[in-house]
Amino acid sequence: MKTLRNCLALVALLAGVGSCQLEPTLYNSLDATTYPSNDQEFQTVIGNAYRGLILYYDREIYLPLNASTDEFTAPTRSGGAWFDNGRWQYFANHSWNSTAADLNETWDWLYSGIATCNNTLAILKASTAQVTGKESALAELRGLRAFFYFLLCDNFGNVPLKTEDSPTGNIQQSSRTEVFNFIEAELKAIVPQLKPTAHPQTYSKFTKEVAQTLLAKLYLNAQVYTGTARWQDCIAQCDAVIASNKYRLNASYFASFAFNNRSNGSFVENIFVIPYDKADYRLDAATGMAPNLFTMHPGLRDKYGLSSTPWNGFCAIADFYNSFDNADARKQGWIAGPQFDAAGNPIRFRNQPLVINADFTSITQATDNDGARMVKFSMQPGNTFQLQDNHFPIFRFADVLMMKGEAAFRLGDVGTALTELNKVRARSGTPNFTPATLTLDALLAERGHEFYFENWRRNDLIRFDRFGNGVWRFKLTRDKKRDLYPIPDRQLSINPYLKQNPGY
């Protein structure tokens, strides 16, 4: 029998998986040479690594870091609401520094996810059991770890590379190029071992096509990360996903974000998702989808059947909202202007007709009604919980088509670019791109209109060299050092091998 340490570690992992039902009389001790013994048991053991995504992705990445883009912000409203010690203002104004608590929490969350993957890999690799499912389970863990490292590479650049074989304690930083190379090598190594997508059996799992999409995303930004463009490699990975015939565009843009976006069959566009469940914020904040709380105006509670008063926080920055063509169906994912109830009657808030002002100009002195509100993730009528069960898409097939189109355009292949980009654009109801209308600026705008509130805007703006370059009214000068976040002071004090990113 394997050591007691390994057995106890397995017990600890299993205890953290909510779906695992253990009989104490049967599993009061575990033999690591015989457990897990089949594919289902391997999936149970690795479930804790996926749970890390469910717990923290939308809080630690989705809100703080994307508030630095031209998409959305949380302005300080009447009575100082949402000032939050200035945290949203320093993101919007690009004035953050290495003391920012949000950045330290992001760093901690990412390395916590990596640690879970590493610990589980070490335990499973120590098992001598040769059973079906072991290799694909190990590959899933390596894929999830690569995804966490991708986010570290994208946000912080030079970071320590820790694997299941690393020594304990602090280690040296790796260069951003070395982190890029590690991610690339890991993903290429596991593609043959990963399960191919099989709807709905592999829904929300790290499949072969997820790895290929992440590789495409890595290559799309290779020039930012390493100084060397990899456009053709990006196209090759997109072609692999397309050739799998596993995915297609939904007829409706909003189907991918519906509260029933698994049961209604719309998952065929969503390549990798975080599956959320209905929950109350104070009881189980991390497991539910939360935009209805964070963004919605309190005067809209009854209109959408919300169980509690929403928090009236995040909203679209005016320039971004106004960049949508009125004919663009995707603009329907925002609420602006006079508001009416289900019967068509004007909604009143504080004895006044409720009018959402999309064209607000101040993040320090905003009114309660300022800023268009996001309803791209559809409201769940009759939900008795604060949070919803919309699933959050990390990768969509629309992005595969648009990545291929962008890479082709940058290589001068305008024909391929138009073909792929217009497949996505056609669904929006806006005119197709033509050789005369397709420019880099138009492409960046199109990505913004397609992927708003999906966590890719900062990534896109940096790749297009537009992060803070006059694209919104709160920041008018380009500061290249802001393309990377600073290494948090807390981490510098813990690990003496870390060096701060340039300019901070």
Side-chain angles (χ1 to χ4, degrees):
M1 182 176 285
K2 285 290 179 182
T3 66
L4 180 61
R5 178 179 64 83
N6 280 350
C7 293
L8 290 175
L10 273 172
V11 173
L13 283 169
L14 292 171
V17 181
S19 62
C20 180
Q21 301 295 322
L22 293 181
E23 294 285 347
T25 57
L26 297 177
Y27 295 102
N28 54 13
S29 65
L30 295 175
D31 184 348
T33 64
T34 61
Y35 188 93
S37 62
N38 56 51
D39 182 62
Q40 184 176 0
E41 290 176 352
F42 272 108
Q43 290 302 313
T44 299
V45 171
I46 68 175
N48 213 31
Y50 285 103
R51 185 169 173 78
L53 290 177
I54 295 173
L55 287 172
Y56 297 113
Y57 188 84
D58 66 331
R59 308 297 190 275
E60 306 302 344
I61 291 288
Y62 179 63
L63 292 179
L65 302 192
N66 284 281
S68 65
T69 75
D70 63 343
E71 275 188 4
F72 66 87
T73 187
T76 302
R77 300 188 184 276
S78 303
W82 284 89
F83 176 67
D84 291 354
N85 295 317
R87 67 189 295 210
W88 308 115
Q89 292 182 25
Y90 65 65
F91 276 121
N93 288 320
H94 286 206
S95 57
W96 60 78
N97 57 42
S98 57
T99 65
D102 292 296
L103 299 179
N104 188 63
E105 290 172 6
T106 299
W107 179 287
D108 277 342
W109 168 64
L110 291 170
Y111 273 108
S112 176
I114 290 167
T116 300
C117 292
N118 285 342
N119 292 339
T120 314
L121 278 166
I123 291 166
L124 295 185
K125 286 172 68 174
S127 170
T128 59
Q130 299 299 317
V131 296
T132 301
K134 181 176 180 178
E135 291 305 314
S136 63
L138 294 174
E140 281 186 63
L141 288 166
R142 291 170 67 184
L144 284 171
R145 182 176 63 186
F147 176 66
F148 287 123
Y149 273 121
F150 171 81
L151 294 177
L152 280 165
C153 180
D154 189 61
N155 287 291
F156 296 103
N158 307 326
V159 298
L161 278 172
K162 297 183 178 181
T163 71
E164 71 275 21
D165 299 319
S166 297
T168 58
N170 295 319
I171 62 174
Q172 299 277 353
Q173 274 172 296
S174 295
S175 70
R176 202 179 199 186
T177 297
E178 289 170 333
V179 178
F180 175 98
N181 291 339
F182 172 81
I183 299 167
E184 179 188 24
E186 284 287 281
L187 292 173
K188 291 174 71 173
I190 64 176
V191 162
Q193 301 164 353
L194 287 166
K195 296 176 182 177
T197 297
H199 302 300
Q201 291 85 357
T202 56
Y203 182 78
S204 78
K205 297 293 186 178
F206 201 99
T207 65
K208 176 181 178 181
E209 287 74 28
V210 174
Q212 291 166 332
T213 305
L214 181 54
L215 268 171
K217 188 69 73 172
L218 186 73
Y219 292 139
L220 186 72
N221 294 278
Q223 192 162 18
V224 173
Y225 301 151
T226 70
T228 302
R230 301 281 294 273
W231 307 120
Q232 194 60 55
D233 288 328
C234 174
I235 292 172
Q237 294 303 320
C238 292
D239 281 341
V241 176
I242 295 168
S244 73
N245 292 317
K246 303 291 186 180
Y247 298 97
R248 59 175 170 77
L249 293 176
N250 289 313
S252 167
Y253 173 74
F254 295 102
S256 294
F257 318 104
F259 57 83
N260 59 343
N261 57 350
R262 177 172 183 170
S263 62
N264 68 2
S266 63
F267 52 72
V268 293
E269 181 172 337
N270 292 342
I271 297 174
F272 191 37
V273 304
I274 300 174
Y276 286 106
D277 293 315
K278 292 179 287 187
D280 282 322
Y281 189 82
R282 291 182 179 178
L283 297 179
D284 201 2
T287 63
M289 191 67 185
N292 57 325
L293 274 186
F294 290 128
T295 185
M296 198 56 61
H297 190 285
L300 298 170
R301 174 180 174 176
D302 293 338
K303 177 179 180 178
Y304 291 104
L306 303 179
S307 64
S308 60
T309 302
W311 298 348
N312 201 28
F314 291 95
C315 61
I317 291 174
D319 297 345
F320 185 77
Y321 173 80
N322 290 328
S323 71
F324 283 80
D325 190 295
N326 287 333
D328 193 332
R330 297 167 297 195
K331 192 174 184 178
Q332 297 172 19
W334 300 101
I335 297 175
Q339 298 301 300
F340 303 90
D341 62 21
N345 300 311
I347 294 175
R348 298 185 68 84
F349 180 72
R350 295 177 179 169
N351 297 319
Q352 296 291 330
L354 177 56
V355 180
I356 303 297
N357 171 32
D359 199 29
F360 76 105
T361 58
S362 174
I363 61 170
T364 60
Q365 295 179 326
T367 72
D368 289 336
N369 296 357
D370 279 345
R373 310 308 167 88
M374 192 275 294
V375 289
K376 173 175 175 173
F377 292 88
S378 62
M379 293 294 140
Q380 193 160 8
N383 179 20
T384 59
F385 296 88
Q386 291 176 308
L387 307 180
Q388 303 187 164
D389 61 6
N390 312 60
H391 297 170
F392 185 88
I394 298 174
F395 297 135
R396 287 195 288 123
F397 187 58
D399 203 358
V400 171
L401 298 176
M402 291 193 71
M403 285 193 289
K404 180 180 177 180
E406 179 184 336
F409 184 70
R410 290 180 182 274
L411 288 172
D413 184 355
V414 177
T416 297
L418 291 172
T419 297
E420 301 304 328
L421 294 171
N422 284 334
K423 289 177 184 177
V424 179
R425 189 168 170 84
R427 181 172 59 182
S428 72
T430 54
N432 281 348
F433 283 124
T434 67
T437 60
L438 181 57
T439 64
L440 285 177
D441 283 346
L443 209 164
L444 176 61
E446 182 68 9
R447 285 196 61 87
H449 298 157
E450 179 69 23
F451 300 111
Y452 65 94
F453 260 79
E454 291 183 61
N455 202 33
W456 293 116
R457 189 59 173 171
R458 175 184 170 276
N459 180 281
D460 289 341
L461 287 168
I462 291 172
R463 184 173 69 258
F464 281 79
D465 198 28
R466 293 290 301 279
F467 190 49
N469 191 26
V471 291
W472 63 98
R473 64 191 69 184
F474 305 135
K475 178 69 181 177
L476 300 177
T477 58
R478 182 83 164 95
D479 186 351
K480 289 285 288 185
K481 80 175 184 184
R482 301 288 176 182
D483 288 3
L484 282 176
Y485 287 112
I487 307 297
D489 279 355
R490 171 65 175 161
Q491 304 305 322
L492 293 171
S493 68
I494 293 172
N495 184 354
Y497 297 118
L498 295 178
K499 295 182 180 179
Q500 185 56 272
N501 285 328
Y504 290 103

